[in-house]
Amino acid sequence: MAIILGDNQYGKAESRIVRIVRDSPRHEIRDLNVTTALRGPFEPAYLVGDQSNVLPTDTQKNTAYAFTKSKGVESIEQYGLDLARHFVHEIDPVEGARIEIEEFAWERAVVDGTEHDHTWLRKGQEVRTAAVTVDSSGEYVIGGLKDLVLLKSTGSEFAGFLKDEYTTLPETHDRVMATALDAKWRFSSLDVDWNAVYPTIKALMVTEFATLQSLALQQTLWHMGTAVMEEFPFIAEVRLKAPNKHHFDYDIGRFGVENHGEVFFASDRAYGLIEATLIRDDAPPAGEAWRASAGLA
Amino acid sequence: MAIILGDNQYGKAESRIVRIVRDSPRHEIRDLNVTTALRGPFEPAYLVGDQSNVLPTDTQKNTAYAFTKSKGVESIEQYGLDLARHFVHEIDPVEGARIEIEEFAWERAVVDGTEHDHTWLRKGQEVRTAAVTVDSSGEYVIGGLKDLVLLKSTGSEFAGFLKDEYTTLPETHDRVMATALDAKWRFSSLDVDWNAVYPTIKALMVTEFATLQSLALQQTLWHMGTAVMEEFPFIAEVRLKAPNKHHFDYDIGRFGVENHGEVFFASDRAYGLIEATLIRDDAPPAGEAWRASAGLA
Amino acid sequence: MAIILGDNQYGKAESRIVRIVRDSPRHEIRDLNVTTALRGPFEPAYLVGDQSNVLPTDTQKNTAYAFTKSKGVESIEQYGLDLARHFVHEIDPVEGARIEIEEFAWERAVVDGTEHDHTWLRKGQEVRTAAVTVDSSGEYVIGGLKDLVLLKSTGSEFAGFLKDEYTTLPETHDRVMATALDAKWRFSSLDVDWNAVYPTIKALMVTEFATLQSLALQQTLWHMGTAVMEEFPFIAEVRLKAPNKHHFDYDIGRFGVENHGEVFFASDRAYGLIEATLIRDDAPPAGEAWRASAGLA
Amino acid sequence: MAIILGDNQYGKAESRIVRIVRDSPRHEIRDLNVTTALRGPFEPAYLVGDQSNVLPTDTQKNTAYAFTKSKGVESIEQYGLDLARHFVHEIDPVEGARIEIEEFAWERAVVDGTEHDHTWLRKGQEVRTAAVTVDSSGEYVIGGLKDLVLLKSTGSEFAGFLKDEYTTLPETHDRVMATALDAKWRFSSLDVDWNAVYPTIKALMVTEFATLQSLALQQTLWHMGTAVMEEFPFIAEVRLKAPNKHHFDYDIGRFGVENHGEVFFASDRAYGLIEATLIRDDAPPAGEAWRASAGLA
C-alpha cells in the first residue's frame, strides 16, 4: 500500500516576451506570454531532492527568449513547436514538453491617415492562444482564442425549457445574448498556414454568433464550431467554453419609463457557463494534445 | 477641541448599464459604468443616524438607469450633466452632485463585408471617461480616457540624467517606450460637441506619441497635452498620468544570439510613473471640477 | 465524416451565497461561491435549440440558494453532495452533476477580549474548495485549498541541476522559498468528518513546508502530500500545483550595503510552476472525480 | 494665453521589497510595496527633454531597496520618512518627496504548537499603509489601512430616508452590513510609536463596527473615526471610505423555504460608497499631507 508519484511536470509560467522585428524601418511586433513545462524522469527531484535531471525553469525561460530571435516567431504555433522539439530532442532526460502561448494583438497607430512604422496601440480584444505538446507519441498543436467578448441585442431566445419547483425564469423570445468566448481547436495536420487560418476562424465564429436566430447559447456554440470544422478539414476537434453574460432588463416601468429591451443591468456574477466539444467521427486520437497540466485545472 | 465632520459625500458606485437604441433595425449600444455621489447637509446621518435628508443610493441607481431612456445618452458628458442637475435641482436637500462615468467601446461585427445591425465585439481599447460636478458654484465637465496602451519600438531616448551613488541605469538613445495613458481634460465651456471632440483628442495624443523623437516620457506628455490644447481653445487644462511600462533588453548575447533592440522582457512591476498638469495661464478657476472624493484617492 | 457533439455540460457559475445561522444569539457564517454543472442528454439544445431537457441555469442557482437553508451547509462537501444528488435523482433527464464550491473563511471580531456574536473579519487566507460529482458510475468528493501563500526565509536550496548552453542560474544553498499552494485531495470514502479533516491537512502541509530542509520545491511538495496521505487512509490521491514565487536577491552591494539574504525583489512574472500527483498504488479508480469541465481548463 | 506646466511629479511605483531580518535564528519579515515620487524644478524635462535635474526612477528604486537594509524598516512610517528626507536633503534639485507604502502582513507558521522561526503564512487581511511627504513646508505622515473586510449579520438598520419618485427600496431594521474599509489618519506629531498605534486603531474601529446598533453606514463611520481620535490626541484627522457591500435577501420563500435573514446574495456591483472626513477643530493645517498625485486619482 505504497504512495507513488503519478503524473507530474514542471516549468516556467508566463514569461512576458516582446519581440520587435526591425530589419526594415517598418517594424513588426509580437507580444507573447509563454509557459513551458517539461515531463520525464523527474521522480528523484520529488523523492530525494536530486536535481540531476532537472533543467532549471530559469533555463527554460532563457531558451524561450533566445528562440524568439534565433528561430523567430513566424506564428505562435510554429514557435511553440520549435521550443517543444528543442527540449525533447536536445535535452537528454526530457521526454515531453508542453508549450502554452498567449499572444496579445497590437494595431498600428494611424498618423495623418497613414499607418505608423514603429508605433502601436494595444488592440485589446481577444487573446490568441496556442498549446503545443511534443513527446514520443507525436506532435500536437492546438490553436485558440479567449476573451472574445460578443453581444447581440436581439435575435436570441430562451423558451421551452424544463421546469421544476425551483424554476422562476420567464420565457423570452427577444433578449440580449453576450459572452466572452474561449475556443480551442485541435489540428490533425502540422502542414498548416497558421496565421492565415486564425482570422478566418474568428470571422466564421463571429458571423455565426451574429446571424443565427439563437434558441440557446448551446445552439450558437454548435453553429460556431461546425462552421469552423466545415471550412477547415484539418481541424479535428473544437472545444468551446462560453459564459452567458447576463443582461437583465431593468424595471424602469416603475418610474413611468418604458423599457422594450433598451435598458439592461450587466451582471458580473453568477453567470451561465456552457461548454461543448465538437469532434469529427473519424478524428485521429487526441493523444497528449489536451493534457495541459498534471492534474489541476 | 471638538471633532467635527468635514468633507463628505455618499452615492452608488459602478452601476453597470447597457443601453440599446433600437428605434430602427440598426441598433446602437452604449455600455456604461456609472458612479453617482451627492453632497449636502448630511451631518445628521453621520452624527445621529438620521436619514431624513438621505436619498438612498438605491434610488440614485434607479435614476441612473431610468435616465438612459428618458433623457438618453447622446454623450456621457451630456448624460452626466442631466443626472447631476436632476439631483441638485429636483431633490431638495442635495447641494452638489458628482457623476463619474466610464464608457466601454464596442465595434460592429462584420459579416460578409458588411457591418452587422445588432451584433458587436467589445473593442477592448481605452475607456472613455467623464466626470461632471454640479453645485451652487457652477457646472463642471471633465472628459478623459484611461488605459490607452501605446508602444513605440524606437524613437525614444533617456540620457543626460542626474546621477548619484545609487544610480546604475545606463544611458540609452534607442529604447522601447510604452505606457497605459490616463488623461483627463477640463472644459471651460459646456457648448461643446462632446462626441466630435473625443476622437480628435485621442488621435492627437497618439500622433504626438508616435512622431516625437522622445528624450523622456515627460517630454512626450507635454507634447501630447499641448497638441490637444492648441486644437481646442475650450480645453482649459489637461492632466496626464502615464506609467513607464519598462521593456528591458533580454541578455541573449550570453547564448550567442544578438539582440539589437529586438527581444525584451515586459516587466509588470516596478514601473515609472509620470504625472503632469498642463494649464492655460488665463484658465478660469477649476472650482469643484477636480474634486472626486471626500478625501481618499 | 460527420461532426458530432462530444463531451458537454452546462450550468451556473459563481453564485455568491452567504448563509447566516442565527438560531441563537451567537450567529455562524458560511460564505460560498457555488458553481453547478449538469451532464446528460442535451444534444437537442445544441443541434436544434430544443430546450425540453434543459433545466435553466437560473433554476440551478435558485436551488443552490434554497439548499443552504433547507439542507444546510454543515460542510461544503456535504452541501455539494446534497446538491449533486438532487439534480441527478430528482430531475429526470439529468445524468450527472458536478458541483464546485469555494468557501471564504471569516474570523470573529474580538471586542474587549471576547469573540463577538455576530461580527466577523474576512480571514483572507487560503480558500477552501470542494468538487463533488455524482452520476451513474458513483459519487466522488474532492477536497482542497487554494492560494495558501507560504514563505520560508531559509532552509531551501537549489543545486546540482542539469545545465545546458542556456543555463545561467547560479546554484544556491540558502534561498527564500515561497509559493501560493493549490492542493486537491480525492476521498475514497464518503464517511468522513469533513470539517475535522480540513484543518489537519492544512497544518500537516504547513509543517512539512516549514520543517523540511528543501532541496527543491518538488521535494517539498512530495513531503506535503505524503504527510497527508499517511495521516488519512481514506485520501486516495493528492494533487498539488505550486508556483515558485521567486524572490531575487537585490544587488545593493553596488551601493556599499551588504545583503546576506536580507533584501529581495518579489517578482510577479515569470514564475516556476511545479505540479505533482501522489496516489496510492491500491487506490480505487478516480472515475469522474477529476473531470471538471467539458474540455477546457 | 500661454500653456504652462502646472503641478507635476514623477517616480517609481510599486517596488516590491521583501526584507528579512536574520540577526538571530528567529527571522523577521517585512513585505512592502513602495512608491516614490519627486517634486521640484523638472520643467526642462517636460518642455525640452533636458534630464539634468532628473534622478532616474531606477535610482529611486535602488535607494528604496538599499534603505531597507542601511536604515532598516522599524515601521513603514519611519522608513518613509528616511526615504523622503534623503531625496529632499541629499539630492540637490529635489524640493519635495512623496513616499507611499503598502505593507502586507504575515503570521508565523505554527509547528507542533510552536511558532516557527523562519516560516510564515500570508495573513491576507487588511493592508497597512503609510504616506509620507517631506518638502520645505514641513514633514507629513499619514497612516492607514485598506481592504479590511467586515461583516455583521444583525445590528444594522436603514429606515426613515428621503423618498422620491425613483425610490423603491424598502425600509429595514435588521440587515447585513458589510464593507471593505479604507481608512487614513493624519498625525500631527512625528513623535509617535508607530507600530503600537496601528493595532489599537484597528481594534477600535472593529469594536465600533461590531457594537454600534447602526442606523446607517455613515453613523458607523463617524463612530469609528471618533473612537480613534478620542484615543489618540496626535491624530488630527481621519478619512474614511467604505463601500456598502450589499447582501440581498434571496427570495427562497417562492420555494416554500423560509428566509429570516439567513440566505443572502452577495452582490459585486453596484455598491454604495460612503466617504467622510473627521477633523479636530483645532487641527494644524494639512499642508501637503494629502496631496498624493499631480492631479489624477
PDB file of all heavy atoms in Angstrom, chain C residues 143-166:
ATOM      1  N   GLY C 143     -11.660  17.294  -1.919  1.00  0.00           N
ATOM      2  CA  GLY C 143     -11.470  18.464  -1.070  1.00  0.00           C
ATOM      3  C   GLY C 143     -10.255  19.237  -1.535  1.00  0.00           C
ATOM      4  O   GLY C 143      -9.477  18.749  -2.357  1.00  0.00           O
ATOM      5  N   GLY C 144     -10.087  20.436  -1.027  1.00  0.00           N
ATOM      6  CA  GLY C 144      -8.918  21.174  -1.464  1.00  0.00           C
ATOM      7  C   GLY C 144      -8.779  22.522  -0.799  1.00  0.00           C
ATOM      8  O   GLY C 144      -9.607  22.929   0.029  1.00  0.00           O
ATOM      9  N   LEU C 145      -7.711  23.157  -1.152  1.00  0.00           N
ATOM     10  CA  LEU C 145      -7.477  24.550  -0.756  1.00  0.00           C
ATOM     11  C   LEU C 145      -6.727  25.199  -1.905  1.00  0.00           C
ATOM     12  O   LEU C 145      -6.092  24.539  -2.715  1.00  0.00           O
ATOM     13  CB  LEU C 145      -6.711  24.649   0.561  1.00  0.00           C
ATOM     14  CG  LEU C 145      -5.326  24.001   0.674  1.00  0.00           C
ATOM     15  CD1 LEU C 145      -4.232  24.852   0.040  1.00  0.00           C
ATOM     16  CD2 LEU C 145      -5.002  23.781   2.145  1.00  0.00           C
ATOM     17  N   LYS C 146      -6.818  26.539  -1.963  1.00  0.00           N
ATOM     18  CA  LYS C 146      -6.007  27.248  -2.955  1.00  0.00           C
ATOM     19  C   LYS C 146      -5.569  28.594  -2.403  1.00  0.00           C
ATOM     20  O   LYS C 146      -6.178  29.132  -1.479  1.00  0.00           O
ATOM     21  CB  LYS C 146      -6.760  27.403  -4.275  1.00  0.00           C
ATOM     22  CG  LYS C 146      -7.971  28.263  -4.242  1.00  0.00           C
ATOM     23  CD  LYS C 146      -8.554  28.368  -5.657  1.00  0.00           C
ATOM     24  CE  LYS C 146      -9.636  29.426  -5.684  1.00  0.00           C
ATOM     25  NZ  LYS C 146     -10.239  29.583  -7.023  1.00  0.00           N
ATOM     26  N   ASP C 147      -4.486  29.087  -2.998  1.00  0.00           N
ATOM     27  CA  ASP C 147      -3.939  30.391  -2.606  1.00  0.00           C
ATOM     28  C   ASP C 147      -3.502  30.430  -1.150  1.00  0.00           C
ATOM     29  O   ASP C 147      -3.671  31.453  -0.473  1.00  0.00           O
ATOM     30  CB  ASP C 147      -4.945  31.514  -2.891  1.00  0.00           C
ATOM     31  CG  ASP C 147      -5.092  31.767  -4.379  1.00  0.00           C
ATOM     32  OD1 ASP C 147      -4.109  31.537  -5.110  1.00  0.00           O
ATOM     33  OD2 ASP C 147      -6.174  32.181  -4.812  1.00  0.00           O
ATOM     34  N   LEU C 148      -2.935  29.336  -0.680  1.00  0.00           N
ATOM     35  CA  LEU C 148      -2.290  29.363   0.634  1.00  0.00           C
ATOM     36  C   LEU C 148      -0.864  29.850   0.416  1.00  0.00           C
ATOM     37  O   LEU C 148      -0.014  29.117  -0.106  1.00  0.00           O
ATOM     38  CB  LEU C 148      -2.299  27.964   1.266  1.00  0.00           C
ATOM     39  CG  LEU C 148      -1.588  27.850   2.609  1.00  0.00           C
ATOM     40  CD1 LEU C 148      -2.283  28.684   3.673  1.00  0.00           C
ATOM     41  CD2 LEU C 148      -1.494  26.394   3.054  1.00  0.00           C
ATOM     42  N   VAL C 149      -0.603  31.092   0.787  1.00  0.00           N
ATOM     43  CA  VAL C 149       0.690  31.712   0.480  1.00  0.00           C
ATOM     44  C   VAL C 149       1.656  31.469   1.632  1.00  0.00           C
ATOM     45  O   VAL C 149       1.409  31.889   2.773  1.00  0.00           O
ATOM     46  CB  VAL C 149       0.523  33.220   0.201  1.00  0.00           C
ATOM     47  CG1 VAL C 149       1.870  33.848  -0.148  1.00  0.00           C
ATOM     48  CG2 VAL C 149      -0.464  33.433  -0.938  1.00  0.00           C
ATOM     49  N   LEU C 150       2.727  30.787   1.325  1.00  0.00           N
ATOM     50  CA  LEU C 150       3.726  30.375   2.312  1.00  0.00           C
ATOM     51  C   LEU C 150       5.089  30.913   1.905  1.00  0.00           C
ATOM     52  O   LEU C 150       5.392  30.986   0.712  1.00  0.00           O
ATOM     53  CB  LEU C 150       3.799  28.841   2.372  1.00  0.00           C
ATOM     54  CG  LEU C 150       2.532  28.092   2.774  1.00  0.00           C
ATOM     55  CD1 LEU C 150       2.684  26.597   2.487  1.00  0.00           C
ATOM     56  CD2 LEU C 150       2.256  28.320   4.252  1.00  0.00           C
ATOM     57  N   LEU C 151       5.896  31.237   2.886  1.00  0.00           N
ATOM     58  CA  LEU C 151       7.262  31.700   2.603  1.00  0.00           C
ATOM     59  C   LEU C 151       8.167  31.243   3.724  1.00  0.00           C
ATOM     60  O   LEU C 151       7.810  31.331   4.899  1.00  0.00           O
ATOM     61  CB  LEU C 151       7.278  33.232   2.481  1.00  0.00           C
ATOM     62  CG  LEU C 151       8.626  33.903   2.169  1.00  0.00           C
ATOM     63  CD1 LEU C 151       8.407  35.174   1.335  1.00  0.00           C
ATOM     64  CD2 LEU C 151       9.426  34.252   3.423  1.00  0.00           C
ATOM     65  N   LYS C 152       9.339  30.741   3.339  1.00  0.00           N
ATOM     66  CA  LYS C 152      10.366  30.484   4.346  1.00  0.00           C
ATOM     67  C   LYS C 152      11.626  31.230   3.934  1.00  0.00           C
ATOM     68  O   LYS C 152      11.977  31.288   2.745  1.00  0.00           O
ATOM     69  CB  LYS C 152      10.607  28.991   4.541  1.00  0.00           C
ATOM     70  CG  LYS C 152      11.103  28.236   3.347  1.00  0.00           C
ATOM     71  CD  LYS C 152      11.055  26.721   3.557  1.00  0.00           C
ATOM     72  CE  LYS C 152      11.892  26.234   4.724  1.00  0.00           C
ATOM     73  NZ  LYS C 152      11.893  24.738   4.763  1.00  0.00           N
ATOM     74  N   SER C 153      12.293  31.794   4.916  1.00  0.00           N
ATOM     75  CA  SER C 153      13.407  32.693   4.613  1.00  0.00           C
ATOM     76  C   SER C 153      14.749  31.980   4.635  1.00  0.00           C
ATOM     77  O   SER C 153      15.771  32.586   4.311  1.00  0.00           O
ATOM     78  CB  SER C 153      13.409  33.864   5.589  1.00  0.00           C
ATOM     79  OG  SER C 153      13.402  33.407   6.924  1.00  0.00           O
ATOM     80  N   THR C 154      14.753  30.717   4.983  1.00  0.00           N
ATOM     81  CA  THR C 154      15.952  29.904   4.880  1.00  0.00           C
ATOM     82  C   THR C 154      15.490  28.446   4.872  1.00  0.00           C
ATOM     83  O   THR C 154      14.296  28.170   4.868  1.00  0.00           O
ATOM     84  CB  THR C 154      16.953  30.186   6.029  1.00  0.00           C
ATOM     85  OG1 THR C 154      18.184  29.516   5.749  1.00  0.00           O
ATOM     86  CG2 THR C 154      16.414  29.739   7.373  1.00  0.00           C
ATOM     87  N   GLY C 155      16.441  27.521   4.792  1.00  0.00           N
ATOM     88  CA  GLY C 155      16.041  26.115   4.767  1.00  0.00           C
ATOM     89  C   GLY C 155      15.605  25.663   3.384  1.00  0.00           C
ATOM     90  O   GLY C 155      14.842  24.706   3.254  1.00  0.00           O
ATOM     91  N   SER C 156      16.094  26.333   2.349  1.00  0.00           N
ATOM     92  CA  SER C 156      15.759  25.953   0.976  1.00  0.00           C
ATOM     93  C   SER C 156      17.001  26.080   0.104  1.00  0.00           C
ATOM     94  O   SER C 156      17.698  27.102   0.151  1.00  0.00           O
ATOM     95  CB  SER C 156      14.647  26.856   0.444  1.00  0.00           C
ATOM     96  OG  SER C 156      14.515  26.722  -0.957  1.00  0.00           O
ATOM     97  N   GLU C 157      17.243  25.062  -0.702  1.00  0.00           N
ATOM     98  CA  GLU C 157      18.416  25.034  -1.582  1.00  0.00           C
ATOM     99  C   GLU C 157      17.967  24.742  -3.011  1.00  0.00           C
ATOM    100  O   GLU C 157      16.868  24.248  -3.231  1.00  0.00           O
ATOM    101  CB  GLU C 157      19.398  23.930  -1.146  1.00  0.00           C
ATOM    102  CG  GLU C 157      19.680  23.896   0.345  1.00  0.00           C
ATOM    103  CD  GLU C 157      20.688  22.816   0.740  1.00  0.00           C
ATOM    104  OE1 GLU C 157      21.515  22.409  -0.110  1.00  0.00           O
ATOM    105  OE2 GLU C 157      20.634  22.380   1.904  1.00  0.00           O
ATOM    106  N   PHE C 158      18.842  25.031  -3.955  1.00  0.00           N
ATOM    107  CA  PHE C 158      18.637  24.561  -5.326  1.00  0.00           C
ATOM    108  C   PHE C 158      20.000  24.447  -6.000  1.00  0.00           C
ATOM    109  O   PHE C 158      20.618  25.459  -6.338  1.00  0.00           O
ATOM    110  CB  PHE C 158      17.701  25.484  -6.101  1.00  0.00           C
ATOM    111  CG  PHE C 158      17.263  24.905  -7.422  1.00  0.00           C
ATOM    112  CD1 PHE C 158      16.609  23.666  -7.478  1.00  0.00           C
ATOM    113  CD2 PHE C 158      17.502  25.564  -8.614  1.00  0.00           C
ATOM    114  CE1 PHE C 158      16.217  23.117  -8.691  1.00  0.00           C
ATOM    115  CE2 PHE C 158      17.106  25.018  -9.836  1.00  0.00           C
ATOM    116  CZ  PHE C 158      16.464  23.791  -9.867  1.00  0.00           C
ATOM    117  N   ALA C 159      20.456  23.231  -6.177  1.00  0.00           N
ATOM    118  CA  ALA C 159      21.808  22.998  -6.695  1.00  0.00           C
ATOM    119  C   ALA C 159      21.845  21.624  -7.350  1.00  0.00           C
ATOM    120  O   ALA C 159      20.918  20.839  -7.238  1.00  0.00           O
ATOM    121  CB  ALA C 159      22.836  23.091  -5.575  1.00  0.00           C
ATOM    122  N   GLY C 160      22.927  21.367  -8.040  1.00  0.00           N
ATOM    123  CA  GLY C 160      23.122  20.055  -8.654  1.00  0.00           C
ATOM    124  C   GLY C 160      22.209  19.795  -9.833  1.00  0.00           C
ATOM    125  O   GLY C 160      22.001  18.645 -10.225  1.00  0.00           O
ATOM    126  N   PHE C 161      21.679  20.861 -10.415  1.00  0.00           N
ATOM    127  CA  PHE C 161      20.717  20.682 -11.506  1.00  0.00           C
ATOM    128  C   PHE C 161      21.424  20.508 -12.850  1.00  0.00           C
ATOM    129  O   PHE C 161      22.624  20.749 -12.985  1.00  0.00           O
ATOM    130  CB  PHE C 161      19.738  21.853 -11.551  1.00  0.00           C
ATOM    131  CG  PHE C 161      20.359  23.205 -11.365  1.00  0.00           C
ATOM    132  CD1 PHE C 161      21.087  23.811 -12.388  1.00  0.00           C
ATOM    133  CD2 PHE C 161      20.212  23.889 -10.155  1.00  0.00           C
ATOM    134  CE1 PHE C 161      21.644  25.060 -12.206  1.00  0.00           C
ATOM    135  CE2 PHE C 161      20.783  25.144  -9.974  1.00  0.00           C
ATOM    136  CZ  PHE C 161      21.501  25.734 -10.990  1.00  0.00           C
ATOM    137  N   LEU C 162      20.679  20.070 -13.814  1.00  0.00           N
ATOM    138  CA  LEU C 162      21.151  19.872 -15.176  1.00  0.00           C
ATOM    139  C   LEU C 162      21.483  21.222 -15.813  1.00  0.00           C
ATOM    140  O   LEU C 162      20.754  22.189 -15.628  1.00  0.00           O
ATOM    141  CB  LEU C 162      20.035  19.185 -15.978  1.00  0.00           C
ATOM    142  CG  LEU C 162      20.354  18.708 -17.390  1.00  0.00           C
ATOM    143  CD1 LEU C 162      21.384  17.596 -17.387  1.00  0.00           C
ATOM    144  CD2 LEU C 162      19.063  18.231 -18.066  1.00  0.00           C
ATOM    145  N   LYS C 163      22.581  21.253 -16.559  1.00  0.00           N
ATOM    146  CA  LYS C 163      22.998  22.509 -17.199  1.00  0.00           C
ATOM    147  C   LYS C 163      23.162  22.302 -18.703  1.00  0.00           C
ATOM    148  O   LYS C 163      23.664  21.280 -19.141  1.00  0.00           O
ATOM    149  CB  LYS C 163      24.314  22.990 -16.584  1.00  0.00           C
ATOM    150  CG  LYS C 163      24.167  23.371 -15.115  1.00  0.00           C
ATOM    151  CD  LYS C 163      25.498  23.651 -14.451  1.00  0.00           C
ATOM    152  CE  LYS C 163      25.322  23.838 -12.944  1.00  0.00           C
ATOM    153  NZ  LYS C 163      24.889  22.600 -12.240  1.00  0.00           N
ATOM    154  N   ASP C 164      22.675  23.301 -19.445  1.00  0.00           N
ATOM    155  CA  ASP C 164      22.928  23.289 -20.887  1.00  0.00           C
ATOM    156  C   ASP C 164      23.439  24.668 -21.292  1.00  0.00           C
ATOM    157  O   ASP C 164      23.794  25.487 -20.436  1.00  0.00           O
ATOM    158  CB  ASP C 164      21.663  22.886 -21.663  1.00  0.00           C
ATOM    159  CG  ASP C 164      20.598  23.968 -21.663  1.00  0.00           C
ATOM    160  OD1 ASP C 164      20.800  25.043 -21.042  1.00  0.00           O
ATOM    161  OD2 ASP C 164      19.526  23.765 -22.279  1.00  0.00           O
ATOM    162  N   GLU C 165      23.485  24.942 -22.589  1.00  0.00           N
ATOM    163  CA  GLU C 165      24.074  26.201 -23.049  1.00  0.00           C
ATOM    164  C   GLU C 165      23.253  27.429 -22.662  1.00  0.00           C
ATOM    165  O   GLU C 165      23.743  28.551 -22.742  1.00  0.00           O
ATOM    166  CB  GLU C 165      24.236  26.169 -24.566  1.00  0.00           C
ATOM    167  CG  GLU C 165      22.903  26.042 -25.305  1.00  0.00           C
ATOM    168  CD  GLU C 165      23.051  25.897 -26.815  1.00  0.00           C
ATOM    169  OE1 GLU C 165      23.556  26.832 -27.446  1.00  0.00           O
ATOM    170  OE2 GLU C 165      22.654  24.841 -27.337  1.00  0.00           O
ATOM    171  N   TYR C 166      21.982  27.224 -22.263  1.00  0.00           N
ATOM    172  CA  TYR C 166      21.135  28.352 -21.871  1.00  0.00           C
ATOM    173  C   TYR C 166      21.061  28.528 -20.355  1.00  0.00           C
ATOM    174  O   TYR C 166      20.253  29.303 -19.858  1.00  0.00           O
ATOM    175  CB  TYR C 166      19.716  28.173 -22.432  1.00  0.00           C
ATOM    176  CG  TYR C 166      19.651  28.174 -23.938  1.00  0.00           C
ATOM    177  CD1 TYR C 166      19.546  26.989 -24.655  1.00  0.00           C
ATOM    178  CD2 TYR C 166      19.727  29.369 -24.651  1.00  0.00           C
ATOM    179  CE1 TYR C 166      19.503  26.986 -26.044  1.00  0.00           C
ATOM    180  CE2 TYR C 166      19.690  29.380 -26.037  1.00  0.00           C
ATOM    181  CZ  TYR C 166      19.575  28.183 -26.732  1.00  0.00           C
ATOM    182  OH  TYR C 166      19.537  28.193 -28.093  1.00  0.00           O
TER     183      TYR C 166
END
